[in-house]
Amino acid sequence: EDKVVQSPLSLVVHEGDTVTLNCSYEVTNFRSLLWYKQEKKAPTFLFMLTSSGIEKKSGRLSSILDKKELFSILNITATQTGDSAIYLCAGYSGAGSYQLTFGKGTKLSVIP
Amino acid sequence: DVKVTQSSRYLVKRTGEKVFLECVQDMDHENMFWYRQDPGLGLRLIYFSYDVKMKEKGDIPEGYSVSREKKERFSLILESASTNQTSMYLCASSSPDIREKLFFGSGTQLSVL
């Protein structure tokens, strides 16, 4: 059974801090790893990673994948209160008809 | 921008009622999905569909059914609601070339009393 584990489960930081969120995975016939941000209700797409060692960046957010060690990290620099959200990691398998396995999420709280 | 619209943000139903959750997407996506999200359990796939009138079971289909009569609309049906179906329900869609890149609706918080 595929498994995605995120750590920490929750995190409280002050504005301006840099945070690193972790995601490890065990996914059969691994194809890609995705990060989503969930504020209020709807998760919104952040990154999709398929190749090891290639960093993806969007503003203050960046992510990288290590396919040898089976993990990914999401970095947020100079955090703002608007970064407060649940960050979801998901691993996609090429096996079977559809296998996208989500982690339980990391709840990030950024306090002023 | 892709828009996935769920008909209700909050629903309160009684045990035994038949419940319909509606989802509409406007990007002509072939793939549509229903997830439920519970604290401590994360997102779990209930059903998905790759085409009109096509459906496949996800990880937790028991107690649910779905209907996809039109490409843009995917309905989740609780035939006889039970208290353990109290949850946040999220609909999503994706294109056939990047199936795993999901666009989510805002969710329906269903309470079954």
Side-chain angles (χ1 to χ4, degrees), chain B residues 34-38 41-46 60 62 64 76 83-90:
Chain B
W34 276 105
Y35 285 87
R36 65 178 281 178
Q37 185 176 29
D38 300 287
L41 296 177
L43 271 76
R44 293 179 292 166
L45 181 63
I46 306 171
I60 51 163
E62 297 78 20
Y64 304 94
L76 180 70
T83 53
N84 62 15
Q85 292 178 309
T86 292
S87 185
M88 169 65 70
Y89 290 88
L90 289 163

Side-chain angles (χ1 to χ4, degrees), chain A residues 61-82:
Chain A
L61 277 67
S62 64
S63 183
I64 198 160
L65 176 68
D66 185 328
K67 289 168 76 172
K68 184 178 176 187
E69 300 298 328
L70 306 183
F71 76 90
S72 173
I73 60 172
L74 175 69
N75 277 323
I76 309 174
T77 59
T79 51
Q80 303 171 356
T81 54

Side-chain angles (χ1 to χ4, degrees), chain B residues 11-17 19 81-86 110-113:
Chain B
L11 271 182
V12 180
K13 297 291 180 181
R14 296 215 174 270
T15 303
E17 279 193 75
V19 181
S82 62
T83 53
N84 62 15
Q85 292 178 309
T86 292
L110 173 67
S111 297
V112 182
L113 306 178

Side-chain angles (χ1 to χ4, degrees), chain B residues 5-22:
Chain B
T5 303
Q6 293 184 231
S7 52
S8 305
R9 292 295 294 269
Y10 301 95
L11 271 182
V12 180
K13 297 291 180 181
R14 296 215 174 270
T15 303
E17 279 193 75
K18 191 169 185 176
V19 181
F20 292 86
L21 302 182
E22 306 286 346

Side-chain angles (χ1 to χ4, degrees), chain A residues 32 34 36 38 41-43 45 48 88 92 97-100 102-104, chain B residues 9-10 33 35 37 40 48 50 56 88 98-102 104-106:
Chain A
S32 58
L34 298 99
Y36 289 85
Q38 186 175 22
K41 296 289 164 66
F45 172 80
M48 185 169 86
L88 299 169
Y92 183 62
S97 58
Y98 186 81
Q99 276 298 117
L100 181 66
F102 282 87
K104 291 183 169 56
Chain B
R9 292 295 294 269
Y10 301 95
F33 308 84
Y35 285 87
Q37 185 176 29
F48 60 101
Y50 289 146
E56 281 200 42
M88 169 65 70
I98 315 178
R99 287 163 51 175
E100 67 269 42
K101 184 178 176 181
L102 301 179
F104 285 90
S106 294

Side-chain angles (χ1 to χ4, degrees), chain A residues 16-68:
Chain A
D17 287 351
T18 293
V19 299
T20 299
L21 308 183
N22 303 296
C23 176
S24 65
Y25 64 89
E26 294 173 26
V27 172
T28 310
N29 289 344
F30 174 81
R31 292 265 298 270
S32 58
L33 188 125
L34 298 99
W35 285 95
Y36 289 85
K37 178 182 181 183
Q38 186 175 22
E39 301 170 271
K40 303 280 196 285
K41 296 289 164 66
T44 54
F45 172 80
L46 293 175
F47 298 111
M48 185 169 86
L49 303 144
T50 56
S51 301
S52 266
I54 298 174
E55 186 182 52
K56 294 222 172 179
K57 280 182 75 81
S58 177
R60 295 175 294 102
L61 277 67
S62 64
S63 183
I64 198 160
L65 176 68
D66 185 328
K67 289 168 76 172
K68 184 178 176 187

